[in-house]
Amino acid sequence: MIPRLARRALSFGTRRKLTQYETTADQVLALDADHRRLSTRGLLDRATELRQRVQGGTSLDEIKNEAFALAREAARRALNEHPVPVQIIGALALHDGYIAEMKTGEGKTLTAALVCALNALTGRGVHVATPNDYLAERDAAWMRPVYDLLGLSTGVITQEMDDDDRREAYRCDITYGIASEFGFDCLRDDMKFSAAETVQRGHVFALVDEADATLIDEASMPLALFGPLGDLSSFYQAIDAVVATLQPLHYEMDHRGRVALTEAGYSEVELQLQQTGLLRTSTTLHDIASISLLHHVVQSLRAHVVLARDRDYVVENGGVTIVDQLTGRPMPGRRYDEGLHQALEAKEGCVIGEETRTLAAITFQTYFRRYDKLAGMTGTAKADSEEYKEIYGLDVISIPTHRPMIRVDEAVLHSTAAGKFQAILRELEDAAARGQPVLIGAPSIERSEALAAMLEANSWRQRNPLTQNPGTSRTFAVLNAKHHAREAQIIADAGAPGAVTIATAMAGRGTDIRLGGEHADAATRAKVISAGGLLVIGTTHHDHGRMDEQLRGRAGRQGDPGRSVFHASLEDEFLKTAAISSPPTLLTEQAATIAPSVANRLIEAAQKRHGIRSFNRRLSLLRFDTIIQRQRDKFYDLRHSIRDGNDTLTLAKRLRHETIDDLINRFAVPTAPWDIAGLDQAIRSVLTLAIDIRPPSRDPKTDARALTQRIIAVADRWIAGKIASMGETTFIDILRRLMMALIDHLWSEQSERLDHLKRRIGDRGLPPHKVVAEFQLEAFALFERMIVDFRRDVTAYSMRVGILPA
């Protein structure tokens, strides 16, 4: 009862917000006549005046009606497109930081231009994130004439650009780019050695196009920068030599193929690692400091126990080649990550390849939450409204369509896969006889290729989309997410009479299918309409209902006729992986199709289970990543203060004094005998100094304080001599770069340790509610250790810089 009331309350709030937007849209439309009378110069002057008002302190909300009206008139003059009320409503929602659900064909690109023009008036930059380079370049070029009329500059970020070009693009008022490139630029900027080298200029407002793809489907995908670790062959060979001696009693493997050491295994491995010098006798593999070593032991154990030669990999030409589990074919050039491939090479006696280390990483979840204001648009958002709210703090609002939706949606659940494919062929033949265009959706590239093979076996042939007419008799095109620009052309032709196109979920996103084809005349369009419009055939349901809706949404755009039908079967993978069992009555009946009421319940249950699993997995990863990102932000805030600040000497002095305190607290504890030899060695090693250390008197605490001050005084004089010899400016510059390089190096090591900890903590059998808390506790211990390492290393290197004058 309570969830139902909550949904009703939210629905009421959404309706009230839409009513407010409709009123505002009417106010914007009322300004139309005034703006039509403006000359081109007058339009620019009005926009310039608004920019000056905003940068003088006027809020964007105070001038949004005028700004939208100006942008609307600019679109009419530049593109001969006049944004309709629902597009203004969508822009208002985006400006307020909503995820705007707008159906396919409702003009999201032009809607985005309205809100981008408004927010660009601040002069602080607007970022429009798209799923691929093609859409970024297309949308930037398409909307640039609109922005030009308003005096706003437009930039675009592509993968092949150098830093100078990127910096220029980010200086523009509105910058389009692929979502991942924005993230990578952020990572690279964090590692630059001067503020002048950075390319981005802040994270003020981001508009994410196809938001479900970036913020949901790929939300947890790490964007990472890698660097070589060097030759570690002897390390992997030493680990392999230890693991190769283990017996079955030393490890255990679960039904999912995960392997872990038993207590007997830990004891045996620790003993051998101590004998080889890889593990100190005072530590164990359970210690937090040993997490990376334990990771490589487990990877070597996987190489020996889980992966089998000539099944999972083959050894050829002196190297290890992975075998594709689906096709059984070798995949040259592919390598396992996290040191597993090196472990296999050590096991097989091959030359061990160089491993890479993650220098910096960030997920879309973490990156886009950096922006002061975030908004997104997509054709399907309601199903993920809880996740948008939970992770990004964003509400979803459904924007009404410009014209009523008249598409017919159907779904059929077959008893067998064979029956399903026969039904698809019948649909295809019927559509071909009418000259109706057909779009066939497949859940993956592999399934699309299997479907193409089935059609070819039934007297259809694949056409060349570059040379053959899309409506060529009994031909089809296969489309997948590999070559975006060519995909867009194929999908644009998919509405031609008789055209048949097989597409995966991501292929051609952002490009409309127009009835008759992209440049069809009225007669061709009328022919397709009389045939029933676009027919969308789903070959199975997707794990998430949102993906089904995206495929259906290809048909029936802006009031066009159309039909969608999903043909699925009880043998489909999405039902099996959801562990949804068929009712006993279905197993005994021999009907070719399942009753719609039963079929709907099965499909909804399967998709709900898949959705919950995916959401929980992303939420769990986010909790880990939030802890990791908090550490990274703290460390890189320090790096930025070093790079951009002017208190480098003060910081180095504080770190030096804290390092000396660390040494005293370790070797000259007041409550225990002093380790004078150990302290002398540490002072020589870290500080490069020789200090006369005498045993403590009856008051060790006072003696320790006095010794600390004496060491500090000598160390400070040593540094002062270096500064006098080298010059303060030179010394500070060296010190600043030294500190930043150490931060980059230590964070890459810390990031690796945290990744290993994240993987290993799941093997401890902890209750689910304790896993994140345990990770946070141990991650904090690793962070404290890293801070100690940082101040020690800064001190040690700074004491060695330059030559002290005679």
Side-chain angles (χ1 to χ4, degrees), residues 430-713:
D430 290 346
R434 292 191 306 274
Q436 182 180 24
V438 180
L439 178 71
I440 307 176
S444 66
I445 293 175
E446 291 78 14
R447 298 301 301 167
S448 71
E449 292 172 348
L451 186 60
M454 185 199 74
L455 292 185
E456 289 176 335
N458 285 271
S459 303
W460 288 75
R461 65 186 189 280
Q462 189 167 337
R463 67 179 171 84
N464 186 332
L466 299 180
T467 60
Q468 287 182 278
N469 187 289
T472 304
S473 178
R474 298 188 68 81
T475 63
F476 63 91
V478 178
L479 179 64
N480 53 49
K482 289 181 179 177
H483 307 288
H484 301 297
R486 195 168 69 199
E487 289 164 19
Q489 184 57 50
I490 296 173
I491 209 75
D493 290 338
V500 176
T501 309
I502 300 173
T504 57
M506 279 304 298
R509 282 187 78 154
T511 306
D512 291 338
I513 298 177
R514 301 181 185 275
L515 297 188
E518 185 71 19
H519 305 292
D521 56 26
T524 305
R525 176 175 165 79
K527 180 180 178 181
V528 171
I529 289 175
S530 65
L534 181 68
L535 170 61
V536 170
I537 300 176
T539 56
T540 185
H541 289 282
H542 296 85
D543 289 350
H544 306 289
R546 162 172 49 83
M547 305 294 285
D548 286 356
E549 289 305 308
Q550 287 171 3
L551 183 57
R552 290 189 192 276
R554 290 297 195 173
R557 61 181 293 278
Q558 291 195 359
D560 285 342
R563 173 172 168 256
S564 75
V565 55
F566 272 81
H567 287 283
S569 82
L570 294 176
E571 298 174 359
D572 285 359
E573 194 69 20
F574 92 102
L575 281 174
K576 293 178 181 178
T577 54
I580 298 293
S581 56
S582 304
T585 54
L586 294 183
L587 302 177
T588 58
E589 297 174 357
Q590 298 299 316
T593 60
I594 311 304
S597 59
V598 178
N600 289 340
R601 286 201 302 271
L602 286 175
I603 292 164
E604 287 175 7
Q607 289 181 333
K608 184 176 181 181
R609 185 168 292 183
H610 279 298
I612 291 172
R613 285 178 183 171
S614 298
F615 180 31
N616 288 339
R617 183 173 61 251
R618 286 190 293 267
L619 193 59
S620 176
L621 287 172
L622 177 65
R623 288 170 178 152
F624 286 120
D625 289 342
T626 298
I627 295 168
I628 294 172
Q629 196 62 32
R630 197 177 297 136
Q631 291 193 8
R632 185 183 185 279
D633 287 346
K634 190 168 184 178
F635 218 43
Y636 273 83
D637 282 347
L638 173 61
R639 190 188 192 280
H640 294 162
S641 69
I642 294 169
R643 185 187 70 189
D644 305 331
N646 54 10
D647 58 349
T648 307
L649 286 178
T650 303
L651 174 61
K653 184 176 182 179
R654 176 171 64 81
L655 296 175
R656 185 166 63 250
H657 293 180
E658 289 174 352
T659 298
I660 293 170
D661 287 338
D662 291 340
L663 296 178
I664 295 297
N665 292 334
R666 179 180 175 186
F667 295 103
V669 183
T671 57
W674 287 12
D675 181 0
I676 294 177
L679 179 59
D680 178 65
Q681 183 180 1
I683 291 172
R684 292 174 184 273
S685 173
V686 177
L687 302 175
T688 67
L689 298 176
I691 303 292
D692 182 25
I693 306 172
R694 298 171 185 172
S697 62
R698 295 182 179 178
D699 188 0
K701 191 173 183 179
T702 301
D703 291 344
R705 281 199 300 266
L707 179 58
T708 300
Q709 293 305 314
R710 190 152 54 91
I711 297 172
I712 286 175

Side-chain angles (χ1 to χ4, degrees), residues 203-432:
H203 301 91
V204 181
F205 175 47
L207 175 57
V208 184
D209 189 14
E210 304 293 356
D212 54 332
T214 300
L215 301 182
I216 303 293
D217 298 335
E218 300 176 9
S220 303
M221 182 186 74
L223 306 173
L225 302 178
F226 297 97
L229 264 177
D231 183 10
L232 297 177
S233 301
S234 58
F235 171 77
Y236 287 109
Q237 289 163 350
I239 294 287
D240 181 76
V242 171
V243 171
T245 66
L246 298 183
Q247 303 300 315
L249 64 92
H250 293 133
Y251 55 85
E252 54 191 11
M253 186 166 62
D254 64 17
H255 66 284
R256 288 188 288 179
R258 295 189 306 180
V259 66
L261 293 169
T262 61
E263 284 306 314
Y266 273 106
S267 299
E268 177 64 23
V269 170
E270 285 169 357
L271 177 62
Q272 292 197 48
L273 289 177
Q274 288 168 354
Q275 291 173 350
T276 60
L278 289 175
L279 185 69
R280 292 202 305 266
T281 55
S282 60
T283 59
T284 72
L285 285 175
H286 291 292
D287 292 344
I288 191 66
S290 304
I291 187 67
S292 292
L293 183 59
L294 174 60
H295 168 79
H296 286 290
V297 169
V298 173
Q299 292 293 68
S300 181
L301 192 58
R302 284 184 64 195
H304 278 270
V305 177
V306 179
L307 301 180
R309 182 170 177 170
D310 297 328
R311 184 193 69 189
D312 300 295
Y313 66 93
V314 293
V315 177
E316 53 186 16
N317 301 322
V320 172
T321 302
I322 300 174
V323 170
D324 188 324
Q325 295 302 298
L326 292 177
T327 65
R329 296 171 180 169
M331 296 189 293
R334 293 282 299 276
R335 293 179 64 84
Y336 292 112
D337 59 3
E338 299 291 335
L340 179 57
H341 210 93
Q342 286 79 3
L344 280 173
E345 289 167 335
K347 168 191 171 183
E348 298 295 347
C350 300
V351 175
I352 297 176
E354 189 175 54
E355 187 182 354
T356 58
R357 165 176 286 167
T358 302
L359 302 178
I362 198 168
T363 61
F364 283 133
Q365 285 176 331
T366 302
Y367 173 72
F368 281 107
R369 293 196 305 166
R370 285 173 169 247
Y371 283 86
D372 299 337
K373 184 166 77 172
L374 178 65
M377 53 188 185
T378 180
T380 49
K382 275 295 182 184
D384 301 299
S385 57
E386 182 183 352
E387 185 163 352
Y388 285 120
K389 186 66 174 177
E390 177 83 19
I391 293 178
Y392 303 100
L394 300 175
D395 290 314
V396 172
I397 188 167
S398 295
I399 309 302
T401 57
H402 179 48
R403 296 187 179 93
M405 174 74 71
I406 61 172
R407 185 186 67 227
V408 176
D409 295 330
E410 302 172 32
V412 183
L413 183 60
H414 301 266
S415 298
T416 65
K420 175 181 74 171
F421 286 120
Q422 286 303 314
I424 291 172
L425 280 173
R426 286 195 298 271
E427 294 272 11
L428 200 54
E429 297 289 352
D430 290 346

Side-chain angles (χ1 to χ4, degrees), residues 751-773:
S751 181
E752 183 181 74
R753 285 192 291 264
L754 291 172
D755 279 343
H756 295 166
L757 176 61
K758 187 165 59 175
R759 287 171 172 78
R760 296 280 76 82
I761 207 160
D763 298 335
R764 298 182 186 176
L766 296 169
H769 66 281
K770 288 189 176 180
V771 171
V772 175

Side-chain angles (χ1 to χ4, degrees), residues 7-50:
R7 284 196 297 270
R8 287 178 61 187
L10 288 172
S11 176
F12 175 75
T14 299
R15 287 198 303 271
R16 185 173 60 183
K17 180 61 73 174
L18 282 173
T19 300
Q20 292 173 359
Y21 288 157
E22 287 168 0
T23 301
T24 305
D26 289 339
Q27 293 169 356
V28 173
L29 293 174
L31 300 172
D32 185 58
D34 176 44
H35 290 93
R36 286 209 180 199
R37 288 193 294 266
L38 291 173
S39 64
T40 301
R41 181 65 195 181
L43 197 69
L44 177 59
D45 289 343
R46 286 274 186 96
T48 303
E49 178 191 344
L50 289 183

Side-chain angles (χ1 to χ4, degrees), residues 56-238:
T58 301
S59 72
L60 290 176
D61 286 336
E62 292 180 64
I63 55 93
K64 66 184 176 187
N65 290 10
E66 174 78 3
F68 281 164
L70 285 171
R72 190 166 178 265
E73 176 61 18
R76 187 185 70 81
R77 298 185 187 190
L79 308 175
N80 197 28
E81 295 188 22
H82 218 183
V84 295
V86 294
Q87 290 175 308
I88 299 173
I89 291 171
L92 289 165
L94 293 172
H95 173 60
D96 284 345
Y98 279 94
I99 297 291
E101 183 181 75
M102 298 181 69
K103 298 301 181 185
T104 300
E106 290 297 305
K108 290 190 285 289
T109 305
L110 190 55
T111 299
L114 299 179
V115 72
C116 288
L118 171 63
N119 283 267
L121 295 175
T122 63
R124 300 173 65 198
V126 171
H127 294 171
V128 183
T130 66
N132 58 61
D133 276 341
Y134 166 73
L135 289 178
E137 293 181 86
R138 185 203 70 175
D139 292 355
W142 187 5
M143 294 298 118
R144 183 175 283 112
V146 178
Y147 300 136
D148 286 346
L149 286 175
L150 301 173
L152 300 171
S153 55
T154 313
V156 59
I157 299 294
T158 59
Q159 297 183 47
E160 65 276 3
M161 292 170 67
D162 60 24
D163 276 4
D164 289 337
D165 290 336
R166 288 173 185 270
R167 197 173 297 113
E168 191 63 32
Y170 281 117
R171 285 199 188 105
C172 293
D173 296 307
I174 302 150
T175 306
Y176 287 80
I178 185 171
S180 58
E181 284 303 300
F182 286 121
F184 280 125
D185 282 337
C186 176
L187 292 177
R188 287 187 283 257
D189 276 358
D190 280 344
M191 301 181 72
K192 296 291 173 59
F193 281 92
S194 72
E197 296 175 11
T198 61
V199 297
Q200 291 186 336
R201 57 185 182 110
H203 301 91
V204 181
F205 175 47
L207 175 57
V208 184
D209 189 14
E210 304 293 356
D212 54 332
T214 300
L215 301 182
I216 303 293
D217 298 335
E218 300 176 9
S220 303
M221 182 186 74
L223 306 173
L225 302 178
F226 297 97
L229 264 177
D231 183 10
L232 297 177
S233 301
S234 58
F235 171 77
Y236 287 109
Q237 289 163 350

